[in-house]
Amino acid sequence: MDRLMLHSPIFTRGWNDFSRMLTGGLSLPDRLSQFVMCVVGAANGVDYQLLSHAPRFLAAGGSRAQLDALADMPAVLEDQRLFDRQERAAARLALEMTHDIHVSDGVFAAAHDAFPSAETLVDLVGLIAAYNMVSRFVAAFGISAENGRL
């Protein structure tokens, strides 16, 4: 993906600045940020995104069982054993934003309850929106996971 973007130096600079902010400047814990990036990749069927963030999710304290569960997204939303309340709320929000674009009142209320800080909720919605952009870029150019395995 990085080699491809180098065809547009201005786009690359903006993308890299934005990416650094997303991966280190938000109020979300790293584990949750990486989880959301994986959820969006899985929801969009973009293996490259899932594979590139899975190691970071694991390094931040996520589990292999959680990554494996992303293959059955509806189960993630209900699995209280593998996913805490914030993870389930973030996954539900990510799925609605990804598949429906509009977020239902119930899903937004659950996200607000799980993330009562306005800053954190804005960061979460922004991260989901940004990683949907990543998915679309990757998918449009047909970028695949090279030698990647979970």
Side-chain angles (χ1 to χ4, degrees):
M1 187 167 107
D2 292 334
R3 284 190 304 265
L4 179 65
M5 281 195 294
L6 289 174
H7 290 284
S8 174
I10 291 172
F11 188 83
T12 301
R13 274 193 303 277
W15 184 286
N16 286 339
D17 289 346
F18 189 54
S19 293
R20 272 191 297 280
M21 180 272 304
L22 290 172
T23 57
L26 301 179
S27 63
L28 300 166
D30 191 44
R31 177 180 167 188
L32 186 63
S33 292
Q34 294 300 326
F35 173 70
V36 167
M37 294 171 196
C38 290
V39 167
V40 172
N44 283 319
V46 178
D47 292 340
Y48 175 88
Q49 188 172 336
L50 181 58
L51 291 169
S52 66
H53 289 281
R56 297 173 197 171
F57 173 67
L58 293 171
S63 74
R64 168 78 52 204
Q66 288 175 305
L67 287 173
D68 292 344
L70 295 181
D72 182 7
M73 200 57 70
V76 170
L77 304 177
E78 304 303 325
D79 192 336
Q80 295 180 22
R81 181 182 55 83
L82 279 180
F83 301 98
D84 66 25
R85 185 175 79 120
Q86 285 189 330
E87 290 164 335
R88 290 190 317 275
R92 188 168 272 113
L93 181 65
L95 288 177
E96 280 207 6
M97 287 179 64
T98 299
H99 293 150
D100 303 329
I101 300 173
H102 299 282
V103 177
S104 67
D105 291 342
V107 167
F108 190 81
H112 188 270
D113 287 346
F115 302 96
S117 160
E119 178 184 10
T120 303
L121 190 56
V122 167
D123 286 350
L124 177 61
V125 169
L127 183 69
I128 294 166
Y131 271 83
N132 268 294
M133 178 183 73
V134 171
S135 286
R136 280 141 180 82
F137 187 90
V138 168
F141 281 104
I143 300 169
S144 63
E146 299 169 359
N147 304 319
R149 296 190 97 138
L150 287 177

